[in-house]
Amino acid sequence: MGRRFHRPIVAAVALAALCAAPAAGQEQSTEFPSWRVPGWSFTPGIVFGALYDTNVAIASPDVERKTASDKLFRVEPFGQLEFFSPRTTFNAGYRGSLRRYVELGDLDGVDHRAFLSLRERVSRRVTFFANNNYSQVPTTDLLELNGVPFQRSGARHNALMAGVEGRLSRRVDLGLRYENTWVDFVRKDTILTGGTVNGVQTDLT
């Protein structure tokens, strides 16, 4: 009587395993593993887009229950230059954004953003690094700064950071970095004033 119960159980388990096998195979990624190729590489590109906004100013409707609407065309060219070796990692790029409205021409604008990153292993224990990010935008709301009022005065922002990382022993790491950040405004008839921030930071781990 024990054998009569074992056979259906074994068959049910085998059937469940066969049904689960395709599902498990579908969950596995079919993409090839990625790796970094030593040497230089350059990647250019451009993005085109268009959209229709029914409320450009995000304002309440007027007396006739209408809001300001318009069509927007956008073009974003970009490029990235990279270099990779056992000791050096370099990455630099640029991305622009051109916005054109059909009727509301006062909202047109151009953005420029660029970045640079360098990491050099000087020796087994010492590594030098440097990063820089630059942006030029038409409005202050596109800056990554808190508390700045919205104005179409044109703004330039740059953040530079450079330093050295060293391993003093098997258990102790020391890092030293310098930071320089400045902001400036294209239009001089604004109440906003730019400035510069300098700082030094040391990390002991």
Side-chain angles (χ1 to χ4, degrees):
M1 190 168 182
R3 294 180 180 176
R4 295 178 182 176
F5 284 100
H6 286 163
R7 290 178 181 176
I9 293 175
V10 173
V13 172
L15 181 61
L18 291 175
C19 294
Q26 293 176 359
E27 293 178 358
Q28 296 179 358
S29 176
T30 58
E31 297 181 358
F32 293 101
S34 60
W35 63 88
R36 307 187 69 175
V37 180
W40 290 94
S41 63
F42 176 67
T43 306
I46 188 169
V47 179
F48 298 93
L51 60 88
Y52 177 75
D53 193 346
T54 60
N55 191 355
V56 178
I58 316 179
S60 302
D62 55 15
V63 180
E64 299 179 356
R65 293 288 182 180
K66 294 182 179 180
T67 57
S69 61
D70 200 355
K71 293 178 284 294
L72 169 66
F73 297 93
R74 190 165 186 169
V75 180
E76 295 185 2
F78 64 88
Q80 184 166 324
L81 179 66
E82 293 180 289
F83 176 77
F84 176 72
S85 71
R87 288 181 174 270
T88 306
T89 302
F90 174 80
N91 191 6
Y94 165 81
R95 190 177 191 95
S97 178
L98 174 64
R99 297 178 300 278
R100 286 292 180 266
Y101 288 85
V102 176
E103 299 178 1
L104 304 176
D106 293 338
L107 299 179
D108 295 345
V110 180
D111 300 358
H112 301 282
R113 299 179 184 272
F115 68 92
L116 183 146
S117 176
L118 173 64
R119 193 171 184 87
E120 176 74 19
R121 192 178 66 176
V122 182
S123 65
R124 295 179 56 185
R125 294 179 176 270
V126 179
T127 301
F128 169 80
F129 65 90
N131 301 312
N132 191 79
N133 290 279
Y134 173 81
S135 62
Q136 180 175 338
V137 292
T139 60
T140 56
D141 66 320
L142 299 177
L143 289 178
E144 297 180 357
L145 299 175
N146 296 325
V148 180
F150 173 80
Q151 288 189 6
R152 293 188 63 87
S153 57
R156 292 187 289 258
H157 178 260
N158 190 83
L160 169 67
M161 182 178 63
V164 178
E165 297 175 350
R167 168 149 292 187
L168 303 182
S169 66
R170 295 179 59 185
R171 298 186 178 183
V172 180
D173 292 337
L174 177 65
L176 176 65
R177 67 179 182 180
Y178 164 75
E179 298 180 4
N180 175 275
T181 303
W182 59 264
V183 61
D184 189 20
F185 300 97
V186 178
R187 291 178 53 185
K188 302 306 178 183
D189 57 347
T190 177
I191 61 174
L192 300 176
T193 303
T196 305
V197 177
N198 295 282
V200 179
Q201 180 175 334
T202 303
D203 300 323
L204 181 64
T205 305

